[in-house]
Amino acid sequence: MRTFYITTPIYYVNGEPHAGHAYTTIAADVLARYHRIKGDEVFFLTGVDEHGANVHKAAENAGLAPQDYCDKMAPIFVKLWKRLNISHDIFMRTTSDMHKRGAEKFLTALYDSGDVYKGAYEGHYCRPCERFVPEKELTDEKICPIHKLPLEWLEEENYFFKLSKYQDRLLAHFHDNPDFAYPAARRNELLSVLDSGLEDISISRSSVSWGISLPFDPEHIVYVWIEALMNYMTALGYETDSEQYRTFWPADVHIMAKDISRFHALIWPAMLMAVNLPLPKQVVAHGWLTKDGEALSKTRGIVIDMDTDIDTYGLDAFRYYLLREFSFGNDGDYRPARLHARYNADLANDLGNLLNRVLGLVNKNFEGIPAPTTPGEFDDEIKEMAQTTVDKLDDHINAFAFDAALETIWEFVRRINRYIQQTQVWTLAKPETKPRMGTILYNSLEALRFISVLISPFIPETAEKIQKQIGLSAFDTTAEWGRLPVDITVSRGDPIFPRVDTKQQKQTQPEKAAKPKPKKAEKTTDLVSFADFQKLDLRVARILAAEPIEGADRLLKLQVDLGTEKRQVVAGIAEHYTPDTLVGKQVIIVANLEPATIRNVESHGMVLAGSGDSVVLATVETEMPLGTQIK
Ligand code: ME8
């Protein structure tokens, strides 16, 4: 059996967990769940980093002894992971005995390797990073390049690790394993650090008291970062060389944000090289989650209110939004209005309505799931697409492209909606066409079962609800066509994504971007004649490309295909859609609007969108030929 060991960072307990921590942990959870359904033996680690000066200080501020403080904070993380449906196998704490003993064993081995020496250290120190900032990273202002805070001058007697000695071996490792540090932007950053030369690093602190003593000199406390990295091994039972340790080490994936990839992809591998242990296979770093374009900061009030959004839309919508909206390696700006739009469009409309519709038709026309006796047009295409979706999904997940993975699944969801439409299945209830109706509904239900398997790593509660409504008694994780039994009773089909009251959303989500809407309603009571209405040429078009317009935050320049011609249209939707999410979408265009020049950009037509608390593009329920007229 193949094994898969995945880790998140162990988070500092000097503050409560926030949406940034949630993002990494949910992404790791998706990978763990995906590998489980593929049949791999999975070990998924998350946990907390409890030592060091910052945690000590937070304990003092809280008026608690450090251990008592950690004992109070750790359960807050556990509680959040439970709420977010995280399926970790271990919640690691660095104050545990297992970790302490394992870290001592590792430190002894490191010392015995001959790569540790004692020396004096003086330099510019960043408290939040708990590290000396190397000379070459220093600016004239002497501020931390990560935290942008002033650095302290610190002089200490420290133990050092000969990191510089591993420069060439690390370079060779990067070259032999192009995906070791991932994605490419991170790899290139780390390669340039390597190219500019590594300095030895201090691995102990004599000014810190909250931590683990060096076994070879108990006067010194191990530097919290060096200790924390070892947790990935101590958690498995490295100290006793346990069966679990031998099964799962080396880790397949260490996942984190880009702030800490140097520790994981340079220092940690060098430490492992020194003690002759295998290196983790991949160090993967995603971008920052921001709010209104700014770094999250509790003190500055830049926070993401996860609780409200989960209460309003449900956990799965929150998980879906985080993974679908942002491209994994890049920074992503969190916008409740976009969560709202995704909820309505992708979840409630595309998926929820499909399930409801199919179950409704089965209930109305059959006693339980009908047998697929009468093949016909489109059936083979659907079956093939089910398989290609599985394959494409695998490629995307292996590349950590969660957004593309979900888009691939949703292409299949939309294809099934179109299948229903193309076959006009609801018209086939007459006795002579009923066997064909049964076959189409069987295929649609089997497609929904497939979809539930594929979405289960991302939105596990929804996946289970779907299979339950289809009538399956135990969750079937196998993506093989034709496994759906016939004659079982489907349920009534309560909406899996019920309508969210926008008033409730408005109250709980005071949005910076939300502007009072002009009261158009009174005006629209003026009636127009049918002849006037007919003057409008509304057509289905596809967005081919989208890009921002310099100096116009609300506008996007779109290239659209109307079937017979291509057009450029300016749309005021930039606050609600990022360009990459628009490409490929079918929209409705007012094709005979007078051309206009908006901010020096020509616009030939107008894209229609629902415009209320959020802005959602108007589209057709299932895909239609480009240029189709809307009447
Ligand atoms: O660095 N966007 O702990 P930490 C995305 N204890 N991810 C974010 C984020 C944001 N705005 N903010 C935090 C430590 N994260 C050490 C780790 S591991 C051996 C020791 C996530 O509490 C992201 O995963 O500062 C980032 O790398 C991590 O939290 C930092 O957590």
Side-chain angles (χ1 to χ4, degrees), residues 226-252:
I226 299 295
E227 182 217 313
L229 289 164
M230 296 171 188
N231 98 89
Y232 300 132
M233 282 171 47
T234 64
L236 296 173
Y238 160 70
E239 186 229 345
T240 55
D241 197 28
S242 71
E243 171 79 30
Q244 186 164 252
Y245 167 69
R246 281 181 280 119
T247 307
F248 288 106
W249 191 257
D252 292 81

Side-chain angles (χ1 to χ4, degrees), residues 377-396:
E377 203 183 358
F378 308 116
D379 295 6
D380 288 343
E381 190 196 325
I382 299 292
K383 265 181 245 176
E384 262 165 45
M385 190 168 180
Q387 190 50 50
T388 50
T389 304
V390 172
D391 299 341
K392 278 196 208 165
L393 180 70
D394 198 56
D395 291 343
H396 291 314

Side-chain angles (χ1 to χ4, degrees), residues 8-14 18-25 48-49 77 224-225 227-232 255-261 263-264 286-290 295-296:
T8 71
I10 46 170
Y11 306 111
Y12 285 129
V13 289
N14 61 347
H18 55 66
H21 300 120
Y23 182 53
T24 315
T25 313
V48 282
D49 194 352
F77 284 79
V224 65
W225 255 109
E227 182 217 313
L229 289 164
M230 296 171 188
N231 98 89
Y232 300 132
I255 200 166
M256 68 208 67
K258 56 192 177 184
D259 55 334
I260 57 176
S261 53
F263 285 103
H264 285 82
H286 57 74
W288 292 115
L289 209 55
T290 60
L296 303 183

Side-chain angles (χ1 to χ4, degrees), residues 127-369:
R127 285 264 163 223
C129 288
E130 298 219 21
R131 67 167 190 146
F132 286 99
V133 176
E135 280 299 324
K136 55 177 168 286
E137 286 180 37
L138 281 179
T139 56
D140 289 344
E141 293 83 33
K142 308 279 185 284
I143 55 168
C144 167
I146 293 168
H147 293 95
K148 315 285 179 219
L149 293 172
L151 299 169
E152 271 174 58
W153 181 257
L154 202 69
E155 294 174 20
E156 275 197 353
E157 191 173 60
N158 282 172
Y159 281 89
F160 285 82
F161 170 58
K162 289 184 191 165
L163 182 62
S164 57
K165 176 177 156 186
Y166 291 93
Q167 161 124 355
D168 292 343
R169 272 182 70 185
L170 283 169
L171 255 179
H173 188 74
F174 269 66
H175 284 299
D176 295 345
N177 302 277
D179 287 337
F180 172 65
Y182 194 87
R186 298 284 89 75
R187 168 189 159 81
N188 294 338
E189 236 168 57
L190 293 161
L191 273 174
S192 75
V193 174
L194 272 173
D195 283 339
S196 66
L198 294 178
E199 292 172 21
D200 292 350
I201 55 157
S202 81
I203 59 161
S204 68
R205 296 283 179 270
S206 43
S207 58
V208 172
S209 60
W210 178 235
I212 298 175
S213 299
L214 290 181
F216 45 88
D217 187 346
E219 293 291 294
H220 291 257
I221 297 287
V222 59
Y223 171 34
V224 65
W225 255 109
I226 299 295
E227 182 217 313
L229 289 164
M230 296 171 188
N231 98 89
Y232 300 132
M233 282 171 47
T234 64
L236 296 173
Y238 160 70
E239 186 229 345
T240 55
D241 197 28
S242 71
E243 171 79 30
Q244 186 164 252
Y245 167 69
R246 281 181 280 119
T247 307
F248 288 106
W249 191 257
D252 292 81
V253 176
H254 289 320
I255 200 166
M256 68 208 67
K258 56 192 177 184
D259 55 334
I260 57 176
S261 53
R262 283 185 201 192
F263 285 103
H264 285 82
L266 299 177
I267 298 172
W268 178 225
M271 285 162 61
L272 289 163
M273 284 172 180
V275 297
N276 279 322
L277 287 173
L279 311 191
K281 291 179 202 148
Q282 218 175 8
V283 173
V284 177
H286 57 74
W288 292 115
L289 209 55
T290 60
K291 183 79 204 297
D292 299 323
E294 293 196 63
L296 303 183
S297 157
K298 206 170 168 185
T299 44
R300 293 176 53 220
I302 305 169
V303 291
I304 291 172
D305 186 356
M306 287 191 274
D307 270 332
T308 303
D309 286 343
I310 295 171
D311 286 346
T312 309
Y313 298 99
L315 170 66
D316 276 0
F318 176 72
R319 288 175 60 117
Y320 177 83
Y321 168 67
L322 285 183
L323 297 162
R324 173 64 188 87
E325 189 78 359
F326 309 123
S327 151
F328 193 68
N330 302 336
D331 293 351
D333 200 39
Y334 187 95
R335 296 181 188 193
R338 289 292 305 141
L339 165 58
H340 184 74
R342 288 253 176 234
Y343 181 89
N344 282 338
D346 301 4
L347 298 175
N349 188 32
D350 288 348
L351 182 58
N353 284 351
L354 172 64
L355 179 69
N356 226 24
R357 205 167 174 195
V358 175
L359 292 179
L361 285 166
V362 173
N363 267 328
K364 193 170 160 207
N365 297 288
F366 298 90
E367 306 282 324
I369 297 181

Side-chain angles (χ1 to χ4, degrees), residues 40-99:
D40 295 349
E41 195 182 343
V42 171
F43 195 78
F44 171 18
L45 172 147
T46 188
V48 282
D49 194 352
E50 303 182 279
H51 286 134
N54 286 326
V55 172
H56 198 172
K57 198 162 163 200
E60 271 175 12
N61 291 344
L64 291 173
Q67 187 63 60
D68 291 344
Y69 173 76
C70 293
D71 291 347
K72 184 179 144 238
M73 293 303 289
I76 299 176
F77 284 79
V78 176
K79 197 170 154 208
L80 178 62
W81 299 157
K82 194 155 185 224
R83 176 147 205 228
L84 300 182
N85 206 355
I86 304 299
S87 63
H88 52 280
D89 297 294
I90 189 169
F91 182 82
M92 191 54 182
R93 294 187 57 179
T94 54
T95 51
S96 62
D97 284 345
M98 175 173 69
H99 173 69

